[in-house]
């Protein structure tokens, strides 16, 4: 979240900030991420590589993750 | 990834200290900045991460900043908002629980810059800008991680059943989005994976309830449980350790709390 604040404040300073808008902050802009490096690692390296490859595809826009749109997910 | 995050933090601090030696950036002169949070600092996660960002802009731009904590106390929302507009030109706010007061205040002070973080809040004068995290992207990856784990019986104590679980603090749209994308990520690995879910019905701070929910999921043959339940999620981690199975956390220090039982972290 700290990174979002810095990014937004930069736009306030340089005059490109737009009031009344919604900024979507995902993997590519660094607003969310996954951390897979533990001291005591459970997942095999091949598994981590697979997840990190998908992460890169999302960042590159090659893999689109479906947005939640109000479905009942608690069934 | 933790290392990458850590390096990023270092980079932020380096950038901040270098920035301190250069002339102030261009743009409107000013500014006083408030970081107004519904909760409290010291969580090693969400709120503290925002504070790091505030500290970074203070160093880089030489602006004065102030943090106002509401400590989840509804009586503090209104006076804290007032204190924020009295002091600052720019207000970064986490407004869970006081969205309506925030809208009113923004309408009353249209010349102030309001940045609402983590939810979308729209006031009638359309001055509030919201930062909306695409939590589906990280949750999708944790779903993949859980699926790849539950289908890999070479990992200690993983059973042959393709079952994973999730414990949410509530059924609100943010937590539902996490669960939705977690399930999609798991099914991208193997469509036959069954995802069991439990909501704590708003008991965000009840770790005993979180633990009970997770134990039930583990006893139903889930071997990985994703917890999106704030402090109650610590109970999920305890359950993982007790059953010698696995959890997915939401804060980097969850790895340290139950080492060997956390397979991934959403940050």
């Amino acid at each position: 979240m700290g990174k979002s604040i810095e990014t937004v404040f930069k736009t306030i300073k340089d005059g490109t900030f737009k009031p009344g808008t919604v900024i979507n902050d995902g993997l590519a802009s660094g607003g969310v991420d996954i951390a897979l490096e533990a001291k005591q690692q459970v997942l095999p390296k091949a598994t981590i590589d697979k997840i990190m490859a998908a992460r890169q595809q999302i960042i590159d826009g090659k893999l689109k993750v479906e947005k939640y749109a109000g479905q009942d997910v608690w069934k | 990834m933790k290392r990458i995050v850590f390096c990023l933090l270092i980079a932020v601090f380096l950038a901040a200290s270098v920035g301190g030696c250069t002339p102030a950036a261009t743009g409107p002169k000013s500014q006083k900045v408030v970081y107004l949070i519904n909760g409290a600092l010291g969580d090693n996660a969400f709120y503290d991460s925002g504070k790091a960002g505030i500290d970074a802009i203070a160093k880089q731009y030489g602006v004065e900043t102030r943090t106002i904590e509401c400590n989840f106390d509804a009586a503090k929302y209104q006076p804290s908002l007032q204190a924020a507009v009295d002091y600052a030109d720019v207000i970064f706010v986490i407004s869970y629980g006081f969205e309506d007061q925030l809208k009113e205040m923004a309408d009353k002070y249209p010349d102030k810059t309001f940045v609402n973080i983590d939810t979308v809040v729209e006031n009638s004068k359309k001055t509030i800008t919201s930062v909306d995290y695409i939590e589906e992207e990280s949750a999708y990856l944790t779903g993949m991680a859980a699926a790849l784990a539950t289908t890999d019986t070479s990992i200690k104590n993983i059973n042959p059943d393709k079952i994973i679980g999730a414990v949410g603090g509530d059924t609100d749209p943010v937590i539902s989005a996490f669960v939705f994308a977690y399930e999609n990520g798991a099914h991208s690995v193997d469509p036959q994976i069954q995802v069991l879910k439990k909501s704590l019905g708003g008991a965000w701070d009840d770790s005993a309830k979180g633990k009970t929910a997770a134990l039930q999921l583990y006893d139903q043959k889930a071997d990985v449980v994703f917890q999106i339940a704030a402090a109650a999620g610590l109970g999920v981690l305890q359950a993982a350790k007790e059953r010698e199975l696995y959890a997915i956390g939401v804060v980097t220090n969850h790895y340290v709390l139950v080492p060997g039982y956390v397979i991934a972290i959403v940050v």
Side-chain angles (χ1 to χ4, degrees):
Chain A
M1 181 168 72
K3 201 180 162 194
S4 311
I5 289 177
E6 289 179 64
T7 308
V8 172
F9 194 73
K10 186 170 180 291
T11 67
I12 293 172
K13 290 304 263 185
D14 68 20
T16 56
F17 176 80
K18 291 193 184 73
T21 55
V22 175
I23 299 161
N24 291 302
D25 203 353
L27 278 178
S29 46
V32 300
D33 212 336
I34 186 170
L36 292 165
E37 268 191 20
K39 250 191 190 153
Q40 216 170 315
Q41 188 58 260
V42 178
L43 299 175
K45 189 179 176 300
T47 297
I48 290 177
D49 289 347
K50 264 185 206 166
I51 299 165
M52 292 309 277
R55 176 182 175 274
Q56 194 57 48
Q57 284 187 320
I58 295 172
I59 290 172
D60 295 342
K62 289 174 190 157
L63 173 59
K64 292 267 182 238
V65 173
E66 190 181 346
K67 290 267 284 180
Y68 175 67
Q71 298 92 331
D72 179 11
V73 299
W74 298 96
K75 283 177 294 212
Chain B
M1 266 316 298
K2 199 156 74 173
R3 197 169 61 214
I4 293 175
V5 172
F6 182 66
C7 290
L8 276 174
L9 273 176
I10 295 286
V12 164
F13 284 122
L14 281 177
S17 46
V18 169
C21 307
T22 52
T26 54
K29 201 173 143 31
S30 66
Q31 260 132 355
K32 287 181 178 166
V33 177
V34 154
Y35 178 47
L36 170 58
I37 58 179
N38 66 324
L41 296 180
D43 65 340
N44 281 311
F46 193 61
Y47 300 114
D48 286 359
S49 160
K51 179 66 163 59
I54 294 291
D55 290 346
I57 62 175
K59 279 191 190 150
Q60 189 172 354
Y61 299 98
V63 292
E64 292 174 42
T65 67
R66 192 178 281 182
T67 298
I68 302 176
E69 299 162 272
C70 295
N71 295 301
F72 304 103
D73 180 356
K76 286 187 180 162
Y77 295 151
Q78 189 64 33
S80 299
L81 270 168
Q82 191 62 55
V85 293
D86 288 347
Y87 170 79
D89 318 286
V90 177
I91 296 138
F92 288 95
V93 53
I94 297 165
S95 66
Y96 297 113
F98 59 101
E99 293 87 348
D100 289 339
Q101 288 110 309
L102 170 62
K103 288 178 199 172
E104 270 176 42
M105 200 60 95
D107 283 339
K108 199 170 158 192
Y109 296 90
D111 54 330
K112 303 278 181 184
T113 300
F114 287 91
V115 182
N116 184 70
I117 294 169
D118 202 31
T119 49
V120 176
V121 174
E122 198 179 299
N123 59 320
S124 19
K125 291 195 177 161
K126 304 233 185 289
T127 51
I128 302 173
T129 283
S130 298
V131 176
D132 188 19
Y133 294 111
I134 312 171
E135 53 272 326
E136 288 92 344
E137 293 184 345
S138 51
Y140 183 92
L141 296 175
T142 62
M144 280 185 68
L148 290 163
T150 195
T151 52
D152 184 352
T153 49
S154 74
I155 297 172
K156 194 184 162 205
N157 293 340
I158 293 285
N159 63 46
D161 299 278
K162 296 177 178 180
I163 302 174
I164 59 174
V167 172
D170 208 344
T171 56
D172 62 73
V174 172
I175 300 303
S176 295
F178 271 108
V179 172
F180 176 74
Y182 174 70
E183 189 158 8
N184 285 344
H187 287 159
S188 78
V189 172
D190 185 338
Q192 289 182 335
I193 287 171
Q194 198 187 342
V195 185
L196 307 174
K197 310 124 190 175
K198 281 196 180 294
S199 157
L200 302 179
W204 295 99
D205 52 359
D206 189 343
S207 63
K209 208 169 175 185
K211 186 177 177 182
T212 304
L215 288 174
Q216 286 170 351
L217 294 176
Y218 290 130
D219 291 345
Q220 288 175 270
K221 302 280 185 192
D223 29 34
V224 181
V225 174
F226 181 24
Q227 64 95 346
I228 332 108
L234 295 175
V236 176
L237 302 184
Q238 289 163 359
K241 192 178 177 185
E242 204 169 297
R243 289 285 189 274
E244 298 191 324
L245 289 166
Y246 303 101
I248 295 172
V250 285
V251 185
T252 40
N253 75 357
H254 286 168
Y255 272 136
V256 185
L257 287 177
V258 287
Y261 301 106
V262 173
I263 62 163
I265 301 279
V266 173
V267 289

